Amino acid sequence: MRIGVDIDGVVSDSYKAWVKKLNRHFGTNILELKNYDMHLDFGVSWEDMGKYFEDNVATLFDIPDPMVGAKEGIEKLLRQGHEVVYVTARSLDEEVYTLRWMKKHKIPHEKILFTGFQSKVDYVLQWQLEIFLEDFLGNAQAISEVGVPVLLLDASYNQGDLPSGIIRCQDWQEILKEIGRRSSYS
Ligand SMILES: [Mg+2]
């Protein structure tokens, strides 16, 4: 299968690292994100949060660890003959940091598409992705609405009921199991 894979919150454990950093910067003590739009949790404007990210982009994209099981999971999918296409909301300006991080953690990356916060749906259709791994509910809903199944990696900010096209996975092990199940039927 050709698998679309989001980066932040799916391959990179970005939010855990960012929340720590943001707590120090804003003098807060947030333990768990309730909102995917972090500025809401931190009680600052979208602009202020954006400015902080702009000023600290190199550090913020360097510090996260990979999600548990992500590297091994991607390697396994590739060994099984699947294709992995990363689709991230990061912008093309952030490509250099993204590639550096992928190399640092030895995560296979042949193709990365940078949407710059544009809808991922166009990329999913253009690249004929057959399944998508995502952590943001908004993206998951939009992608599943065009008929592409989404595996939603469970997070504190994506709770709630899911439509039938979106399957919640607790970890990468469950993601692999779900993809394996689907591959054996096709
Ligand atoms: Mg994400």
Side-chain angles (χ1 to χ4, degrees), residues 6-12 15 36 87-89 120 133-136 139 157:
D6 173 38
I7 294 179
D8 293 304
V10 174
V11 176
S12 168
Y15 298 100
Y36 174 79
V87 186
T88 175
K120 289 188 178 180
L133 317 186
E134 175 64 53
D135 67 322
F136 174 40
N139 285 338
Y157 48 82

Side-chain angles (χ1 to χ4, degrees), residues 32-71:
E32 202 173 61
L33 285 177
K34 290 192 188 70
N35 296 283
Y36 174 79
D37 285 328
M38 291 186 291
H39 72 103
L40 298 173
D41 279 51
F42 284 90
V44 300
S45 68
W46 168 267
E47 289 76 18
D48 285 350
M49 185 60 84
K51 169 117 182 43
Y52 179 76
F53 266 76
E54 215 173 279
D55 293 345
N56 298 280
V57 59
T59 310
L60 291 170
F61 286 154
D62 177 61
I63 54 173
D65 291 323
M67 296 293 284
V68 171
K71 174 178 155 37

Side-chain angles (χ1 to χ4, degrees), residues 7 23 32 47 59 76 78 81 90 92 105-106 110 120-121 124 134 137-138 142 145 151-152 161-162 173 175 180:
I7 294 179
N23 274 330
E32 202 173 61
E47 289 76 18
T59 310
K76 189 163 186 189
L78 294 173
R90 294 182 183 190
L92 204 48
H105 294 285
K106 299 191 170 63
E110 202 170 291
K120 289 188 178 180
V121 171
V124 166
E134 175 64 53
L137 206 47
E145 272 165 24
L151 306 184
L152 185 78
D161 291 339
L162 301 175
Q173 224 175 330
I175 289 176

Side-chain angles (χ1 to χ4, degrees), residues 15-142:
Y15 298 100
K16 197 201 267 175
W18 294 346
V19 164
K20 264 193 216 164
K21 207 81 180 139
L22 289 166
N23 274 330
R24 234 170 292 154
H25 180 70
F26 291 117
T28 45
N29 186 28
I30 310 273
L31 300 173
E32 202 173 61
L33 285 177
K34 290 192 188 70
N35 296 283
Y36 174 79
D37 285 328
M38 291 186 291
H39 72 103
L40 298 173
D41 279 51
F42 284 90
V44 300
S45 68
W46 168 267
E47 289 76 18
D48 285 350
M49 185 60 84
K51 169 117 182 43
Y52 179 76
F53 266 76
E54 215 173 279
D55 293 345
N56 298 280
V57 59
T59 310
L60 291 170
F61 286 154
D62 177 61
I63 54 173
D65 291 323
M67 296 293 284
V68 171
K71 174 178 155 37
E72 298 75 13
I74 287 160
E75 288 170 345
K76 189 163 186 189
L77 290 175
L78 294 173
R79 271 202 309 276
Q80 290 171 341
H82 296 292
E83 248 182 284
V84 169
V85 177
Y86 297 97
V87 186
T88 175
R90 294 182 183 190
S91 67
L92 204 48
D93 298 344
E94 293 155 353
E95 183 180 28
V96 57
Y97 310 111
T98 305
L99 293 177
R100 200 179 289 160
W101 186 87
M102 289 278 193
K103 282 193 194 106
K104 177 175 155 185
H105 294 285
K106 299 191 170 63
I107 295 174
H109 54 283
E110 202 170 291
K111 187 76 208 162
I112 307 179
L113 307 174
F114 295 84
T115 74
F117 282 109
Q118 281 183 305
S119 167
K120 289 188 178 180
V121 171
D122 298 341
Y123 294 82
V124 166
L125 295 174
Q126 193 188 337
W127 284 79
Q128 298 179 316
L129 304 177
E130 293 163 270
I131 192 163
F132 203 93
L133 317 186
E134 175 64 53
D135 67 322
F136 174 40
L137 206 47
N139 285 338
Q141 273 157 348

